[in-house]
Amino acid sequence: MKNILSAAASVALLFGSAFATTIDFNGIGSNFDDPVTVDGFTFDYIDRNGWAISEASGITNEVGNGTEFITCRDTGDFNCAIVMTSATGGSFELFGFDIADHSLGFGGQVIDVRFDLAGGGSVTQSFTTVADVFSSAVFSPLGALSAVVFRNNGVSGNDGFALDNLQTAASEVPVPPAALLMAGVLALYARRKA
C-alpha cells in the first residue's frame, strides 16, 4: 500500500513541478518586430530607439558573445527597457541571466531589474555591467513572477544593453487530467487494500 501511495504522489509531483529552461535566442535570426515570443516568453520594449533579437555580427562597436541575444538601444534619454512576460499569461520564475552593455568600451553601467510578483508588489535589484563582455547575474529566485522589467538607469553615456541565456521556469505547470485520474485511481486502490 505504501508503494502505491508513493507512486501516486510521484505522479502528482512529476506533473506539478516546474520545468526549467534557458532562453538563449539562438536560431531565430534578426528580428525587429515587437513584441517577440521566444520559448514561451514574450519580450516587449518601453521607449526604445532600437530593438532586436540578433547575433549583432557586422554591427560596428556592438558587444557580442558569438551567439544570438536580445538587445535594446536608445538615443541617450535613459528610458529603454525590455519587458519579459509568460506568453500564456501564467506566472514564472527567473534564476539568472547574462547581461552586457550594448556598445563596446563602456562597462560599469547599472541595469535595474524590477521583478513584478504574481501575488502583487515588486522587488528591484541592480546589476553592474563589465566592459566589453557578457557577465552572468545569478540570484536566489523570488518566487512566482508576473513580469520582469530590465532597464538601464543611465549611469553612463550609453543606455543600450543586451540580454542572453535567461534561466527560467514556469511557476505552476498544469497537471494533465490523465495524471490526476491516475493518482486518484491509485489512491482508491490503496484504500481498498487497507
Side-chain angles (χ1 to χ4, degrees), residues 73-108:
R73 299 183 294 273
D74 208 349
T75 55
D77 52 2
F78 308 112
N79 61 0
C80 186
I82 294 174
V83 182
M84 173 188 181
T85 56
S86 167
T88 63
S91 59
F92 62 95
E93 296 182 51
L94 186 65
F95 309 104
F97 52 85
D98 293 345
I99 197 158
D101 297 327
H102 166 260
S103 298
L104 296 172
F106 283 92

Side-chain angles (χ1 to χ4, degrees), residues 82-85 92 94 97 113-116 145-150:
I82 294 174
V83 182
M84 173 188 181
T85 56
F92 62 95
L94 186 65
F97 52 85
V113 183
R114 188 185 79 216
F115 301 90
D116 293 341
L145 305 170
S146 60
V148 179
V149 180
F150 301 87

Side-chain angles (χ1 to χ4, degrees), residues 5-6 20 23 30 39 48 71 73 83 93 99 108 112 119 135 137 140 157 160 171 174 180 186-187 190 194:
L5 287 174
S6 176
I23 304 169
S30 295
D39 294 333
R48 58 81 163 142
T71 183
R73 299 183 294 273
V83 182
E93 296 182 51
I99 197 158
D112 291 330
S135 56
S140 298
S171 292
L180 286 174
L186 289 173

